[in-house]
Amino acid sequence: MKKIIFGALLAVTASFSFAQNPLSVHVLNQETGLPSANVAVILEAQQGDKWIKLNELKTDANGRIKEFYPKDTALQKGIYKVTFKTGDWFKANNQRTFFPEVPVVFTIDGTLEHYHIPLLLSSYGYSTYRGN
């Protein structure tokens, strides 16, 4: 927390730790409007014609993985893929789905300090975008 004093007024601003890790993801269940906890997510980097696995974690209670890029590793420019294992999550929640997984391929070009990949999920559809 950072304290800023304006005369007699004290304002407290939160500093977020997103810049410490350059990649995060978030999964929201569009049908319920709630976060999707325990979704397995895999991070891979493209090297030539192959995908190299860098990390695999599950979303927390808020549907987030706040620190997804491998720790103590410098951010490298390149093409990456985040794969949300949605079929496993729906099965664990006794629901059917049309999409057993959602792969999201994106470019890290070094112009941003932080990259965020949100996923809005439902049984028969999904949406994603570059977040912040």
Side-chain angles (χ1 to χ4, degrees):
M1 294 284 226
K2 188 186 335 178
K3 294 181 183 177
I4 303 171
I5 300 176
F6 299 103
L9 177 64
L10 173 67
V12 179
T13 60
S15 24
F16 296 96
S17 61
F18 283 128
Q20 292 178 352
N21 189 286
L23 180 64
S24 60
V25 300
H26 190 196
V27 183
L28 289 171
N29 185 326
Q30 199 166 9
E31 293 173 320
T32 64
L34 299 173
S36 299
N38 294 313
V39 176
V41 187
I42 299 169
L43 172 63
E44 297 171 286
Q46 188 178 45
Q47 291 185 0
D49 61 349
K50 296 184 183 197
W51 291 101
I52 307 302
K53 184 175 171 181
L54 301 177
N55 207 354
E56 182 172 359
L57 296 170
K58 288 191 175 187
T59 57
D60 65 15
N62 292 315
R64 297 180 182 273
I65 299 174
K66 295 177 184 175
E67 297 182 346
F68 201 29
Y69 201 77
K71 292 182 183 203
D72 302 322
T73 303
L75 179 64
Q76 300 293 314
K77 294 179 183 179
I79 298 175
Y80 291 83
K81 178 169 54 173
V82 170
T83 303
F84 298 90
K85 304 302 275 183
T86 53
D88 296 341
W89 184 83
F90 278 110
K91 185 176 181 180
N93 287 279
N94 298 313
Q95 294 178 310
R96 296 178 63 187
T97 184
F98 184 68
F99 300 103
E101 62 183 26
V102 176
V104 179
V105 179
F106 61 99
T107 300
I108 290 182
D109 61 8
T111 59
L112 301 173
E113 290 183 21
H114 183 78
Y115 294 81
H116 183 66
I117 311 295
L119 178 68
L120 300 175
L121 181 62
S122 72
S123 298
Y124 297 99
Y126 64 86
S127 177
T128 187
Y129 54 94
R130 185 184 84 179
N132 61 7

